[in-house]
Amino acid sequence: MSENIKAALSGEKSQPESSSIDIIQTAFENDENNNIYDNEKHIGKRNIAHRFIDSFRKREDLPESYEIEITPSGQEHQVSKSKLDQGLPPRISSAMSLCTGVGTGLLVSGGKSLHYGGPAGLTIAYGLVGMVVYFVIDAASEVAVAYPTVPGGFNACYSILIDESFSFATVWLFLLQWLTVFPLELITLSLVMQYWNTSVDPDVWVLIFYVFLICVHMFGTRGYGEVEFIFSICKVLLIAGFFIFAIVINCGGGGKDGYIGGKYWHDPGAFQGPTAETHFKGICYVLVIAYFSYGGVELSTFNVAEHANPRRSMPSNVKKVMYRVLLIYFVPLLLVCFLVPYNSPDLMGSSGASATHASPFVLAASLHGVRVVPHFINAVILISVTSVSNSAMYAAPRLFYALAELGYAPKFMKYIDRRGRPSLGILVCAVIGVIAYSTTSPQREQVFTWLSSIAGLSEVFTWAGICINQVRFRQALKYNGRSIDELAYKTKTGIWGSCFAAFFSILVLIAQFWVALAPIGENGKCDAEVFFENYLAVPIWIVFYLGYKIYKKDWRLWIPVNEIDLDGSRKIYDVEVLQQEEAEYKEQLRHKGWLARAYAFWC
């Protein structure tokens, strides 16, 4: 133990006005900084290989590493500091809020949505879910900024604000989603590569991207962020280019078919199927695909503990997420609906014998005689799918760490190395990713289907939980007589947006149950295999939920509002300080140019 700590514990004070808690905290911080300096000085004399190996040693953060917060009643309480690497600057977090998660769900599975829902069904479903996305991200941001250091972000808040069994089931299902998304995206990568080359063994492509992604995460949070930043730029350029390209082709400028207009909305039609029932069932089917497609938007709030300044970055993220919903998802898919008929045999997800599993964005060019552009689009799709794999490798290990901190997973999963990486979590995800080497198996399609069946409905539970979190948080504030002015970020719709989003998510679960019982294209006949392919996530959640209830012998549906530990892990913001900072920020903006003011308002 250092002399600083001994002096603090013995009651010797260098500054009479400081409390013993402040002295101990300062002593620990000084002692830790000295150790880090000595370690880095020692490591600097060694070669790169030794430094790399040493980086996996356990991080020497002490349990007493905390911040002291003062509640409005004047009481002190400790808020643990995050042990994870806080290396995401606003530049990277902004790019992530725009494009993280844009991959298979949009660029590949969008074809399945078009095939089963038709252009009108796709437009309705993605429009409704896009509205839900705003309420979800708004609610998640309020809770995330209030609890910025809780491991796992909104996932950990379930156990504080709702119920431990709900938390256990939902977080484990969320973890399973990202664990399965990693091999799922690797399989998709091999399919995308087959657009150019079908002679190379698909496992070769899986191996190349598998090794690349593992290497990226050896550089920690900053490595992930920088790679994701580059990927995001590529995706934005694709979408911007596709806007221009789609409009030109639709108007007859360059395509072999001349002016297209709304041709495919009339022939083969706006909806798939001949009856109103099949039209409605198609919309219900596409709703879940839309949840899967939009999946990943919540990662911008999940990693709030690794943001440099969450109070400033989160409001900006909410705005950017809405631009993402409108410009990255909705408008491009709407343009695809004007260029690709839903009954095209080459469309991904179609049942035609000659299906080539092509992305609808690639077909939008190739069907109209454009030769070079499909290759550029397919290249960016490859980057986008790699980006989602990258996000899965980022999210899943941190979820393992959050589960371990909550007591829902083995304690050794709390291992954080000296670079702030959850190393054991990354190792587990890498092992599970080996499933992707099933690409050469005759059962490849079944593996893909079962993996996606887990990932799809998980978002429904996660988004509903986020919204319930925010409602319960506001109820606890009201019960304890606390003002919402204490919040550094407040939702624009109060609790009503969250109530709508949670209710809509429940309706989606009911609609998917109907579609799973009477699937499209099966003459309405119920089949056990088809049912679980479409509804597997729900039984998994129920088993987790009831199993934890039995284990804990706690049969309450939720934590009573008077028992919610409102301030235990919350960061307390001083109302006067918040108002002063906001006034200073507005004053700074007032002296800047109109371009800076416009950017601050819209972004």
Side-chain angles (χ1 to χ4, degrees):
M1 186 179 295
S2 71
E3 296 300 324
N4 290 332
I5 299 176
K6 287 180 180 179
L9 294 176
S10 63
E12 299 176 12
K13 300 181 180 180
S14 58
Q15 295 179 352
E17 68 274 14
S18 302
S19 67
S20 59
I21 292 179
D22 293 333
I23 295 173
I24 293 174
Q25 182 185 1
T26 303
F28 271 127
E29 290 176 349
N30 291 338
D31 191 56
E32 181 183 348
N33 290 335
N34 291 333
N35 288 336
I36 292 174
Y37 174 77
D38 292 339
N39 287 335
E40 289 181 347
K41 185 177 180 181
H42 173 66
I43 292 173
K45 299 177 181 179
R46 308 168 71 180
N47 59 34
I48 295 175
H50 282 129
R51 286 195 303 240
F52 177 73
I53 294 172
D54 284 341
S55 71
F56 289 96
R57 291 168 54 191
K58 187 174 182 180
R59 189 169 184 175
E60 298 300 330
D61 284 352
L62 297 171
E64 291 82 358
S65 180
Y66 55 79
E67 293 176 344
I68 301 297
E69 298 286 357
I70 308 297
T71 66
S73 61
Q75 298 179 342
E76 293 184 349
H77 78 289
Q78 301 174 7
V79 178
S80 299
K81 296 179 181 178
S82 174
K83 296 181 180 180
L84 297 171
D85 180 21
Q86 294 178 305
L88 288 180
R91 167 180 61 87
I92 293 177
S93 60
S94 296
M96 288 173 59
S97 64
L98 271 176
C99 291
T100 296
V102 175
T104 301
L106 172 67
L107 302 174
V108 179
S109 296
K112 203 171 188 179
S113 301
L114 179 59
H115 176 71
Y116 284 104
L122 182 150
T123 303
I124 294 170
Y126 275 79
L128 289 172
V129 178
M131 182 170 54
V132 171
V133 168
Y134 172 75
F135 297 134
V136 170
I137 296 302
D138 208 24
S141 298
E142 178 176 291
V143 178
V145 175
Y147 295 90
T149 61
V150 175
F154 55 80
N155 292 284
C157 292
Y158 299 145
S159 61
I160 300 173
L161 301 170
I162 304 176
D163 174 62
E164 283 199 34
S165 298
F166 182 91
S167 175
F168 180 84
T170 305
V171 180
W172 264 107
L173 188 60
F174 191 57
L175 170 60
L176 287 178
Q177 171 194 343
W178 288 106
L179 283 177
T180 55
V181 161
F182 181 51
L184 177 68
E185 299 297 323
L186 289 176
I187 293 174
T188 306
L189 282 168
S190 67
L191 295 175
V192 173
M193 289 300 299
Q194 286 183 349
Y195 180 79
W196 291 305
N197 189 308
T198 57
S199 60
V200 177
D201 191 319
D203 280 344
V204 174
W205 303 120
V206 171
L207 176 62
I208 292 172
F209 288 103
Y210 179 87
V211 173
F212 167 73
L213 291 169
I214 297 298
C215 291
V216 166
H217 288 271
M218 292 300 97
F219 291 93
T221 297
R222 190 60 182 263
Y224 157 75
E226 293 294 349
V227 170
E228 197 62 29
F229 180 76
I230 296 172
F231 287 165
S232 296
I233 292 175
C234 293
K235 287 184 275 190
V236 168
L237 291 176
L238 165 67
I239 298 301
F242 185 77
F243 279 177
I244 301 171
F245 168 79
I247 294 172
V248 170
I249 293 297
N250 187 266
C251 295
K256 65 179 182 180
D257 299 324
Y259 177 74
I260 301 172
K263 171 184 174 182
Y264 297 130
W265 288 67
H266 300 285
D267 181 21
F271 291 96
Q272 200 259 29
T275 65
E277 180 182 350
T278 56
H279 298 170
F280 182 67
K281 185 179 289 187
I283 295 174
C284 293
Y285 186 84
V286 176
L287 282 172
V288 174
I289 301 178
Y291 267 80
F292 175 63
S293 298
Y294 287 122
V297 295
E298 68 279 353
L299 289 183
S300 61
T301 60
F302 166 73
N303 62 2
V304 66
E306 295 170 81
H307 284 208
N309 186 2
R311 184 173 165 257
R312 283 295 174 203
S313 63
M314 296 315 294
S316 177
N317 283 348
V318 173
K319 297 176 184 178
K320 290 183 176 66
V321 164
M322 290 318 300
Y323 302 146
R324 168 182 174 172
V325 168
L326 182 62
L327 301 177
I328 306 294
Y329 284 99
F330 188 76
V331 175
L333 281 175
L334 183 62
L335 292 173
V336 164
C337 292
F338 284 93
L339 298 178
V340 182
Y342 75 76
N343 61 352
S344 171
D346 297 324
L347 192 62
M348 169 67 86
S350 69
S351 55
S354 62
T356 58
H357 302 288
S359 163
F361 289 83
V362 173
L363 286 178
S366 61
L367 286 179
H368 301 285
V370 181
R371 295 182 179 181
V372 180
V373 174
H375 296 283
F376 284 104
I377 295 176
N378 204 62
V380 180
I381 289 174
L382 187 70
I383 292 173
S384 300
V385 176
T386 307
S387 170
V388 178
S389 301
N390 189 37
S391 297
M393 274 296 292
Y394 175 81
R398 284 153 181 79
L399 282 167
F400 265 126
Y401 169 71
L403 283 164
E405 286 283 356
L406 293 169
Y408 299 156
K411 292 183 178 179
F412 63 81
M413 295 306 297
K414 292 195 291 185
Y415 186 92
I416 301 294
D417 64 28
R418 297 179 60 184
R419 292 287 183 90
R421 300 169 300 203
S423 303
L424 292 181
I426 293 175
L427 177 62
V428 172
C429 295
V431 172
I432 293 177
V434 175
I435 296 174
Y437 289 99
S438 63
T439 49
T440 54
S441 168
Q443 308 299 322
R444 178 184 64 185
E445 295 293 337
Q446 291 185 352
V447 172
F448 187 91
T449 299
W450 286 107
L451 289 176
S452 58
S453 68
I454 296 175
L457 280 176
S458 172
E459 289 292 343
V460 182
F461 286 98
T462 300
W463 290 5
I466 287 172
C467 295
I468 297 172
N469 253 350
Q470 192 261 343
V471 173
R472 296 282 291 165
F473 178 55
R474 287 292 186 95
Q475 288 177 339
L477 284 174
K478 184 177 181 180
Y479 177 84
N480 287 278
R482 310 287 280 276
S483 171
I484 62 173
D485 291 334
E486 295 178 16
L487 305 180
Y489 179 81
K490 298 185 284 289
T491 62
K492 306 299 185 295
T493 57
I495 66 171
W496 298 111
S498 296
C499 290
F500 170 80
F503 178 71
F504 187 84
S505 297
I506 295 172
L507 290 181
V508 169
L509 287 176
I510 296 172
Q512 182 65 9
F513 180 77
W514 174 48
V515 172
L517 278 180
I520 299 174
E522 302 292 336
N523 298 321
K525 294 181 180 179
C526 179
D527 181 87
E529 183 176 351
V530 175
F531 175 81
F532 283 107
E533 285 178 356
N534 288 279
Y535 217 64
L536 181 61
V538 177
I540 292 176
W541 187 89
I542 293 174
V543 169
F544 280 150
Y545 181 80
L546 294 179
Y548 196 82
K549 284 287 185 188
I550 294 171
Y551 173 74
K552 296 292 289 188
K553 298 180 181 179
D554 182 4
W555 301 104
R556 300 179 301 179
L557 290 178
W558 53 74
I559 302 172
V561 68
N562 62 314
E563 296 182 17
I564 292 178
D565 185 9
L566 184 63
D567 295 329
S569 301
R570 186 162 70 99
K571 182 173 180 60
I572 308 298
Y573 296 91
D574 186 277
V575 178
E576 293 183 359
V577 172
L578 288 176
Q579 293 174 347
Q580 182 179 354
E581 289 181 354
E582 189 64 26
E584 291 175 355
Y585 177 69
K586 290 181 179 179
E587 183 65 20
Q588 290 175 359
L589 279 180
R590 194 171 66 85
H591 291 89
K592 292 185 177 180
W594 67 269
L595 191 59
R597 293 197 300 271
Y599 180 84
F601 178 80
W602 292 105
C603 301

